[in-house]
Amino acid sequence: MKVNILLFHDFETLDVFGSVEILGKIEEYELNYVSLGGGLIVSAQGASIMTKKIEPSSSDDILVVPGGRGTRALVNDSVFLEMLIVAVKHSNYCLSICTGSALLAKAGLLNGKCATSNKQAFSWVKSTNTNVKWIQNARWVVDGKYYTSSGVSAGMDMTLGFIRDRFDEQKALHIAKSIEYIWNSDNSKDPFANYE
Amino acid sequence: MKVNILLFHDFETLDVFGSVEILGKIEEYELNYVSLGGGLIVSAQGASIMTKKIEPSSSDDILVVPGGRGTRALVNDSVFLEMLIVAVKHSNYCLSICTGSALLAKAGLLNGKCATSNKQAFSWVKSTNTNVKWIQNARWVVDGKYYTSSGVSAGMDMTLGFIRDRFDEQKALHIAKSIEYIWNSDNSKDPFANYE
């Protein structure tokens, strides 16, 4: 099963690699690092990651969309948003971390759906699309094929929740243990809900 | 202040990027991704990261040493271990995550010092050098310039602990909040101590 991890300049490093660490423990998942144009993509923390040009296909299963300060420009980038729409439509599941949900919202993909995002940037994220049912008090939110998480580290909790939903609780707990991670497994408990 | 993040093939992705996410929030820290020979280095989760060739200098402040399955070969690689000794000697602080401490131990750098490591691999790590005072029940251990953490996610808790020690508790808490991370701030509490 093909997992496409969508990178862009100034993505938040842990948004991606927290989720990747967990998805990488599932043997059936083949991780691909992709971007709009391919080549090296630099994170907000200066890590340069090699990517392939994204080429959505019917074999795609999971799309991972991080957030970070790079999203502030991308919500106004129609070429990026059109690519995102095609990539999401080809995927069975779409996981966004942090302000990655602002990109999905601006592309119109979350219209009428429940979603959450980074709590420090919540007002800005909400302003990108008022037709989304934004949930403030949630570590992560599931609506159909969309899993949206709160800021940065919440992406790890969500990804373990995704594994629980696709497989079972034992598999998620086993992965958490193998990376010595104390999983916050209840998505309704959000200690950062009123951070902004 | 120069932070050198030492990468090698098959390093564990989150060992590096959990710590990087936190260190990257300190304005004074300049993050450098380095390796023995420079060029692209591929993590155990298939992420290709561009690195510069490591060139230890007197301006180095912090060295970050991840773990991962790549360490199993490197403990027998004298060229790598000699480079590691020079890099550590040039640094004011050395932070290892997961089985990164096996590399430090095999290089003889932890002789007579207290240290910890990944709990699933603890027997193997201990076998690399019995002159180290290995601490089983610790999320992380500090001994002089050395900060060694337990497996993968424990590196985030340790790095926040390092920030607390260098600055203050408020700064560490502020960073944890900004990445919506629930910090396990007590290094003596280790829920995975008896995992193996």
Side-chain angles (χ1 to χ4, degrees), chain A residues 169-187:
Chain A
E169 177 104 4
Q170 278 315 303
K171 189 143 186 157
L173 283 168
H174 179 75
I175 292 173
K177 208 170 170 185
S178 76
I179 60 168
E180 299 188 27
Y181 182 65
I182 300 158
W183 179 25
N184 309 291
S185 62
D186 180 351
N187 68 335

Side-chain angles (χ1 to χ4, degrees), chain A residues 13-27:
Chain A
T13 308
L14 188 59
D15 286 11
V16 169
F17 293 111
S19 196
V20 153
E21 179 71 29
I22 293 159
L23 295 171
K25 300 292 179 207
I26 306 288
E27 250 178 55

Side-chain angles (χ1 to χ4, degrees), chain A residues 129-147:
Chain A
N129 189 335
T130 54
N131 293 317
V132 179
K133 295 173 192 159
W134 293 108
I135 312 286
Q136 179 140 4
N137 198 339
R139 189 78 172 153
W140 75 92
V141 167
V142 185
D143 193 332
K145 72 195 261 180
Y146 296 94
Y147 281 67

Side-chain angles (χ1 to χ4, degrees), chain A residues 12 21 33 45 119 180, chain B residues 12 21 33 45 119 180:
Chain A
E12 188 71 19
E21 179 71 29
Y33 301 86
Q45 284 71 34
K119 293 304 148 47
E180 299 188 27
Chain B
E12 189 70 19
E21 178 71 27
Y33 300 85
Q45 285 70 33
K119 294 303 147 51
E180 299 188 25

Side-chain angles (χ1 to χ4, degrees), chain A residues 12-15 17-18 20-21 24-25 31 33 40 43-50 117-120 139 150-154 156-157 174 176-182 184 190-192 195, chain B residues 12-15 17-18 20-21 24-25 31 33 40 43-50 117-120 139 150-154 156-157 174 176-182 184 190-192 195:
Chain A
E12 188 71 19
T13 308
L14 188 59
D15 286 11
F17 293 111
V20 153
E21 179 71 29
K25 300 292 179 207
L31 305 189
Y33 301 86
L40 282 174
S43 83
Q45 284 71 34
S48 295
I49 320 292
M50 187 54 80
S117 194
N118 183 299
K119 293 304 148 47
Q120 209 178 351
R139 189 78 172 153
S150 291
V152 196
S153 310
M156 297 180 66
D157 294 329
H174 179 75
K177 208 170 170 185
S178 76
I179 60 168
E180 299 188 27
Y181 182 65
I182 300 158
N184 309 291
D190 182 5
F192 305 101
Y195 180 26
Chain B
E12 189 70 19
T13 308
L14 187 60
D15 286 10
F17 293 112
V20 153
E21 178 71 27
K25 298 294 178 206
L31 306 188
Y33 300 85
L40 282 173
S43 82
Q45 285 70 33
S48 295
I49 320 293
M50 186 55 80
S117 194
N118 182 301
K119 294 303 147 51
Q120 210 179 347
R139 189 76 173 153
S150 291
V152 197
S153 311
M156 297 181 65
D157 295 329
H174 179 76
K177 208 171 170 185
S178 76
I179 61 168
E180 299 188 25
Y181 182 65
I182 300 158
N184 309 292
D190 181 5
F192 304 101
Y195 180 27

Side-chain angles (χ1 to χ4, degrees), chain A residues 42-56:
Chain A
V42 186
S43 83
Q45 284 71 34
S48 295
I49 320 292
M50 187 54 80
T51 64
K52 290 183 284 192
K53 185 172 158 44
I54 188 165
E55 286 178 0

Side-chain angles (χ1 to χ4, degrees), chain B residues 31-150:
Chain B
L31 306 188
N32 296 282
Y33 300 85
V34 296
S35 65
L36 183 60
L40 282 173
I41 298 291
V42 185
S43 82
Q45 285 70 33
S48 295
I49 320 293
M50 186 55 80
T51 64
K52 291 183 283 192
K53 185 172 158 47
I54 189 166
E55 286 179 359
S57 83
S58 58
S59 66
D60 294 348
D61 193 48
I62 302 165
L63 182 72
V64 177
V65 182
R69 63 186 184 215
T71 60
R72 303 280 171 152
L74 287 178
V75 291
N76 298 314
D77 182 333
S78 60
V79 176
F80 180 89
L81 295 179
E82 276 163 34
M83 173 275 287
L84 184 61
I85 291 169
V86 176
V88 168
K89 295 213 162 150
H90 276 82
S91 303
N92 294 317
Y93 299 101
C94 179
L95 279 58
S96 76
I97 298 104
C98 193
T99 50
S101 54
L103 299 173
L104 299 173
K106 197 65 193 290
L109 292 158
L110 298 177
N111 284 354
K113 295 191 182 298
C114 295
T116 196
S117 194
N118 182 301
K119 294 303 147 51
Q120 210 179 347
F122 209 57
S123 296
W124 173 72
V125 173
K126 284 191 288 184
S127 77
T128 63
N129 188 335
T130 54
N131 294 318
V132 180
K133 294 172 192 159
W134 293 108
I135 313 286
Q136 178 140 3
N137 198 339
R139 189 76 173 153
W140 74 92
V141 167
V142 186
D143 192 331
K145 72 193 262 183
Y146 295 94
Y147 281 67
T148 56
S149 88
S150 291

Side-chain angles (χ1 to χ4, degrees), chain A residues 2-195:
Chain A
K2 210 169 147 193
V3 181
N4 286 322
I5 299 137
L6 180 59
L7 304 189
F8 45 81
H9 284 294
D10 273 344
F11 73 86
E12 188 71 19
T13 308
L14 188 59
D15 286 11
V16 169
F17 293 111
S19 196
V20 153
E21 179 71 29
I22 293 159
L23 295 171
K25 300 292 179 207
I26 306 288
E27 250 178 55
E28 306 92 292
Y29 290 172
E30 174 208 317
L31 305 189
N32 295 282
Y33 301 86
V34 297
S35 65
L36 184 59
L40 282 174
I41 298 289
V42 186
S43 83
Q45 284 71 34
S48 295
I49 320 292
M50 187 54 80
T51 64
K52 290 183 284 192
K53 185 172 158 44
I54 188 165
E55 286 178 0
S57 82
S58 57
S59 65
D60 294 348
D61 192 49
I62 302 165
L63 181 72
V64 177
V65 183
R69 63 186 184 215
T71 60
R72 302 280 172 150
L74 286 179
V75 291
N76 298 313
D77 182 333
S78 59
V79 175
F80 180 89
L81 295 179
E82 276 162 33
M83 172 276 287
L84 184 61
I85 291 168
V86 176
V88 168
K89 294 211 163 151
H90 277 82
S91 304
N92 293 318
Y93 299 101
C94 179
L95 279 57
S96 77
I97 299 103
C98 193
T99 51
S101 55
L103 298 173
L104 299 173
K106 197 65 192 291
L109 292 159
L110 297 177
N111 285 354
K113 296 193 183 295
C114 295
T116 196
S117 194
N118 183 299
K119 293 304 148 47
Q120 209 178 351
F122 209 55
S123 296
W124 173 72
V125 172
K126 284 191 288 184
S127 76
T128 63
N129 189 335
T130 54
N131 293 317
V132 179
K133 295 173 192 159
W134 293 108
I135 312 286
Q136 179 140 4
N137 198 339
R139 189 78 172 153
W140 75 92
V141 167
V142 185
D143 193 332
K145 72 195 261 180
Y146 296 94
Y147 281 67
T148 57
S149 89
S150 291
V152 196
S153 310
M156 297 180 66
D157 294 329
M158 175 189 75
T159 306
L160 287 165
F162 176 77
I163 298 300
R164 175 173 57 195
D165 295 348
R166 296 286 79 66
F167 301 89
D168 56 37
E169 177 104 4
Q170 278 315 303
K171 189 143 186 157
L173 283 168
H174 179 75
I175 292 173
K177 208 170 170 185
S178 76
I179 60 168
E180 299 188 27
Y181 182 65
I182 300 158
W183 179 25
N184 309 291
S185 62
D186 180 351
N187 68 335
S188 71
K189 284 191 186 151
D190 182 5
F192 305 101
N194 298 305
Y195 180 26

